[in-house]
């Protein structure tokens, strides 16, 4: 008997894809015999490819902000040939809607997000309203599946990520001794701490005999943050730019604690079971912070900076109101709890 085939679609950033995993796991538990496939942007594929309960991960190369359907046609033909029984688009953006229609699953569920081209709803056979943004993103994704009567599992909200075991030795060379990793960068400067805050946090950790190492994203701007940190703190141990996301995942899996602003690596560390301290300024910890007792979050002061700006335009940026002493206190609490 043919197994039902279901395709999950999410074209968003790395952290968004990591946060989709609990919803997919709820779907798997609800339909253990189904084939579950996922379609994500190529850069996010490593987050799903080693999860044994996902049958296949399809990857689509993309240029941010552009659909480029002509370049996607070979993949779309392959996906159409799979003859999916159902598909679910967790985002409901233009790209996901058009691809849902072209892939042509018999039943196509999509989120009705507020923006998009006219007639977008016709790309789906079933739609569901977008849950309000006061809810956690994991809950928002799980809610989409309520249209298929998939039960919401309050004890199933943990993230999940499996590092590549073949990279364990290389990761150990990069980070020989498990310790505290501080990740400096995000995709938006307004979410990043000033270098002087990292210098102060490093001093607080050193005073307690807790060495730190530092990482940043691969772009030139993000790597420049590590250069600035080294200039202010010559003794800082900064890890090199990573050759692949898979190697980065294998390396942070060795950490005893991960400290970071709101960015994908914070969710990757939490998914690996590494305790995290996340700090938030222009974004809401109530929506984006990793869940669970080994993940602590700190929210900065209220701020009216625009969500469309890459920098905070206030005299004192909201992220700067998160103090190193507060982050250190949260770190000490987690490390003390882990030693009991």
């Amino acid at each position: 008997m043919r197994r039902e085939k279901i395709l999950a679609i999410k074209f968003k950033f790395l952290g968004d894809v990591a946060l989709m995993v609990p919803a997919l796991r709820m779907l798997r538990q609800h339909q253990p015999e189904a084939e579950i496939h996922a379609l994500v942007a190529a850069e996010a594929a490593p987050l799903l490819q080693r999860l044994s309960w996902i049958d296949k991960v399809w990857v689509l190369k993309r240029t941010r902000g552009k659909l480029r359907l002509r370049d996607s046609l070979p993949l779309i033909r392959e996906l159409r040939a799979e003859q999916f029984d159902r598909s679910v688009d967790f985002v409901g953006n233009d790209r996901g809607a058009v691809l849902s229609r072209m892939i042509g699953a018999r039943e196509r569920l999509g989120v009705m997000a507020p923006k998009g081209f006219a007639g977008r709803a016709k790309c789906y056979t079933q739609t569901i309203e977008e849950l309000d943004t006061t809810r956690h993103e994991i809950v928002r994704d799980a809610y989409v599946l309520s249209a298929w009567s998939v039960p919401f599992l309050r004890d199933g909200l943990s993230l999940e990520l499996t590092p590549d075991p073949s990279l364990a030795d290389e990761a150990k060379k990069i980070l020989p001794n498990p310790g505290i990793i501080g990740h400096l960068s995000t995709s938006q400067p307004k979410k990043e701490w000033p270098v002087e805050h990292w210098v102060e946090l490093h001093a607080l950790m050193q005073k307690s005999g807790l060495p730190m190492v530092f990482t940043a994203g691969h772009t030139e701007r993000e790597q420049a943050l590590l250069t600035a940190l080294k200039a202010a703190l010559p003794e800082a141990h900064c890890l090199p730019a990573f050759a692949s996301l898979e190697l980065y995942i294998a390396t942070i899996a060795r950490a005893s604690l991960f400290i970071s602003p709101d960015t994908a690596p914070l969710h990757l560390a939490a998914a690996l079971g590494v305790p995290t301290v996340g700090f938030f300024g222009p974004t809401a910890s109530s929506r984006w912070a990793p869940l669970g007792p080994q993940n602590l979050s700190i929210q900065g002061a209220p701020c009216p900076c625009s969500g469309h700006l890459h920098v905070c335009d206030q005299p004192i940026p909201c992220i700067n109101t998160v103090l190193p002493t507060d982050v250190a206190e949260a770190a000490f609490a987690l490390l003390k709890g882990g030693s009991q």
Side-chain angles (χ1 to χ4, degrees):
M1 183 177 177
R2 180 182 180 275
R3 297 168 65 193
E4 182 179 21
K5 286 187 178 183
I6 302 173
L7 176 66
I9 302 170
K10 194 164 194 182
F11 284 107
K12 291 283 278 184
F13 304 112
L14 292 178
D16 300 280
V17 173
L19 291 169
M20 174 182 64
V21 169
L24 293 187
R25 198 168 54 235
M26 293 177 200
L27 178 61
R28 165 57 70 202
Q29 292 180 31
H30 182 60
Q31 295 198 242
E33 301 303 321
E35 274 190 37
I36 296 179
H37 298 224
L39 174 60
V40 295
E43 61 267 26
L47 307 187
L48 305 179
Q49 286 172 329
R50 304 196 68 81
L51 298 180
S52 61
W53 48 268
I54 294 179
D55 293 280
K56 185 167 183 177
V57 178
W58 300 81
V59 301
L60 180 65
K61 294 182 179 179
R62 66 169 183 170
T63 302
R64 192 166 296 173
K66 297 182 179 179
L67 194 53
R68 296 190 181 278
L69 281 176
R70 181 177 299 179
D71 297 337
S72 306
L73 284 177
L75 176 63
I76 291 171
R77 292 191 190 100
E78 287 187 64
L79 287 163
R80 285 185 66 86
E82 291 287 331
Q83 297 183 323
F84 288 101
D85 299 284
R86 290 192 279 172
S87 65
V88 51
D89 176 12
F90 283 98
V91 181
N93 58 15
D94 290 351
R95 180 185 282 110
V98 172
L99 286 171
S100 294
R101 182 67 185 88
M102 296 183 72
I103 292 165
R106 181 169 50 85
E107 297 178 24
R108 302 182 298 278
L109 171 61
V111 175
M112 286 317 304
K115 296 181 181 180
F117 64 88
R120 181 183 42 167
K122 295 182 179 179
C123 292
Y124 307 112
T125 62
Q126 183 181 10
T127 59
I128 187 169
E129 65 174 334
E130 183 181 49
L131 198 61
D132 65 87
T133 56
T134 62
R135 313 294 184 90
H136 197 280
E137 197 65 13
I138 291 175
V139 176
R140 283 162 52 84
D141 279 347
Y143 170 75
V144 175
L145 296 178
S146 68
W148 289 347
S149 300
V150 175
F152 177 75
L153 304 176
R154 287 189 174 86
D155 59 352
L157 304 182
S158 61
L159 302 180
E160 183 177 351
L161 180 60
T162 302
D164 185 344
S166 70
L167 297 174
D169 289 342
E170 189 174 355
K172 189 174 182 179
K173 291 178 183 177
I174 295 171
L175 189 65
N177 301 309
I180 301 171
I181 293 180
H183 184 85
L184 275 62
S185 67
T186 75
S187 60
Q188 294 182 311
K190 67 180 178 182
K191 297 195 291 184
E192 295 167 351
W193 243 8
V195 166
E196 55 266 28
H197 277 31
W198 285 111
V199 172
E200 184 178 345
L201 179 64
H202 179 272
L204 292 169
M205 295 293 105
Q206 287 286 91
K207 187 176 180 180
S208 297
L210 299 169
M212 290 186 70
V213 300
F214 298 94
T215 66
H218 67 278
T219 69
E220 184 177 345
R221 185 194 69 79
E222 292 173 290
Q223 286 293 304
L225 294 175
L226 291 177
T227 302
L229 179 66
K230 286 287 287 185
L233 187 69
E235 66 269 31
H237 180 193
C238 298
L239 300 185
F242 285 80
S244 67
L245 177 60
E246 293 92 331
L247 181 57
Y248 183 75
I249 289 169
T251 302
I252 65 174
R254 294 181 48 76
S256 59
L257 180 67
F258 194 88
I259 301 174
S260 170
D262 177 20
T263 188
L266 180 67
H267 301 295
L268 305 188
L272 291 162
V274 176
T276 68
V277 177
F279 47 89
F280 296 75
T283 53
S285 57
S286 59
R287 180 178 175 187
W288 297 108
L291 299 176
Q294 68 173 6
N295 303 299
L296 299 181
S297 62
I298 302 169
Q299 183 72 56
C303 185
C305 63
S306 168
H308 300 290
L309 296 176
H310 281 259
V311 295
C312 179
D313 57 2
Q314 299 301 299
I316 300 177
C318 42
I319 196 67
N320 292 21
T321 65
V322 177
L323 300 179
T325 50
D326 295 332
V327 174
E329 183 178 345
F332 297 150
L334 284 175
L335 291 170
K336 181 179 179 181
S339 65
Q340 292 177 345

